[in-house]
Amino acid sequence: MRVTGTFAATRAGYRGRVGLVPTMGFFHEGHLALIEAARERADTVVVSLFVNPLQFNDPADLARYPRDLERDAALAGASGADLLFSPPPEEMYPAPVAVRVSLPALSAELEGAHRPGHLDGVAVVVAKLYAGLRPDLAFFGRKDAQQLALVTRLAADLSFPLQVIGCPTLREADGLALSSRNVFLASGDRAAALSLSRGLLAAADAAEAGERSGAVLEGLVAAELATAGLAAEYVALADAATATRIPALDRVAFLAVAARVGAVRLIDNVFLDPAGAADRGDRLDRPSFLYAKGS
Ligand code: AMP
C-alpha cells in the first residue's frame, strides 16, 4: 500500500474499477469493514484520510480529534487498501473555498439542526473527493445515516459517475456502535452509552413485530435513555433517502438518536424496512482493538 498526498499521484496508481472509502482516520473495525467491502468490489481501493476542518462546528472537537497516521496506514494496508490518500490541507483547500455545496432539503433536521454547518462541510469535502479522485464506487457507513443520504444525493444531483454503497454499522459485542470518539468515553459512562443501542434494538424488534408509529418507536429509544439518566438531543424516525422526519414507518427509514454521554456526543441508528428485516448492524465477537491500547 502506498501513502499519497495529491489527487494526481493517487489517480496515477489506479487500475480497473476504483473504490473510494472516505474517512477522517483513527481507524476502528467499522472503517476496516468499509475497506474490506471496497476490496470485494473494486480493483483499486483508495482510502482517503483527511480531518476536514470545515465539518467541525466545535473547534475543541477538531483540536482533540484523535490522529495516528502510522497506525492507520498499517491497518488500511492489512485490510486491503492499495492507496491511502492523506493530503495536506493545502491540497484540499489551496485557497479558502468560495464555492458552497449544500443540500438544504436533506440537512434541515437531525444532525443538520444540532451541528450548524457540519453537513455543508461534509458536502464540500465529499464533492472534492468525488471530483479529485473520480472513483467508480464510494463506500460510506450507515452509522452516519444522514451523511449517507446526503452523499448519495450529491452524486446523483451533480452527475458524478459513481455509485454510493452504504455499509452496515459495526458494533462492539455489547452493542455500542464503533466510533473514533469512543476513546474519549470515560469507563463509568460506558454503561449509559449502551442505552442508545439498547433502545434502537428494542425499537427494531417492535418494528419487526408490526409497530408502525413513529412516536411509539421513538418513545422506546427515549425511554431507554431516560432509564440511563440521559436526555437525547433528538430521537427521530426519518425517511432514509431524505433524512426528514416521518410520522409512520411506511417506507425504508432509519431511527436515529443523538445524545451527550459525559464528554462525548454519540449518534447511532437502525435502518428499518416495513417490508423486511431491520438492519441492526454487525457485532464484533470480541472487544474492539480501540480499547486495547488502554486509552
Ligand atoms: P469517519 O472517519 O468517522 O468520518 O468515518 C468514515 C466512514 O466510516 C464513514 O462513512 C462512517 O459512516 C463510517 N463509519 C463510522 N463508524 C462506523 C461503524 N461503527 N461501522 C461502520 N462504518 C462506520
Side-chain angles (χ1 to χ4, degrees), residues 9 13 25 86 94 120 187 248 258:
S86 172
D120 291 355
S187 51

Side-chain angles (χ1 to χ4, degrees), residues 164-206:
V164 173
I165 296 168
C167 299
T169 296
L170 250 281
R171 300 182 177 283
E172 299 269 355
D174 60 13
L176 182 70
L178 295 176
S179 162
S180 303
R181 292 183 176 89
N182 287 357
V183 290
F184 299 127
L185 263 183
S187 51
D189 287 333
R190 202 181 153 88
L194 291 177
S195 64
L196 278 73
S197 53
R198 214 168 31 238
L200 291 168
L201 300 177
D205 290 343

Side-chain angles (χ1 to χ4, degrees), residues 102-121:
S102 60
L103 294 88
L106 280 69
S107 308
E109 303 178 29
L110 312 176
E111 292 299 284
H114 289 268
R115 298 184 66 191
H118 165 65
L119 291 170
D120 291 355

Side-chain angles (χ1 to χ4, degrees), residues 109-260:
E109 303 178 29
L110 312 176
E111 292 299 284
H114 289 268
R115 298 184 66 191
H118 165 65
L119 291 170
D120 291 355
V122 169
V124 168
V125 81
V126 171
K128 288 179 72 82
L129 292 171
Y130 285 172
L133 295 176
R134 301 169 210 168
D136 300 293
L137 303 167
F139 296 81
F140 290 87
R142 285 184 155 187
K143 162 82 175 3
D144 297 281
Q146 186 169 22
Q147 169 176 286
L148 175 60
L150 195 111
V151 300
T152 302
R153 188 65 179 270
L154 175 70
D157 279 8
L158 293 183
S159 305
F160 285 104
L162 59 88
Q163 187 189 349
V164 173
I165 296 168
C167 299
T169 296
L170 250 281
R171 300 182 177 283
E172 299 269 355
D174 60 13
L176 182 70
L178 295 176
S179 162
S180 303
R181 292 183 176 89
N182 287 357
V183 290
F184 299 127
L185 263 183
S187 51
D189 287 333
R190 202 181 153 88
L194 291 177
S195 64
L196 278 73
S197 53
R198 214 168 31 238
L200 291 168
L201 300 177
D205 290 343
E208 283 180 348
E211 182 58 60
R212 293 291 174 262
S213 158
V216 170
L217 295 169
E218 291 165 3
L220 288 167
V221 181
E224 275 295 341
L225 266 69
T227 303
L230 300 180
E233 278 188 12
Y234 62 79
V235 184
L237 179 70
D239 181 301
T242 62
T244 54
R245 205 152 178 185
I246 51 176
L249 179 58
D250 56 4
R251 67 197 88 168
V252 178
F254 60 82
L255 182 62
V257 59
R260 272 194 189 279

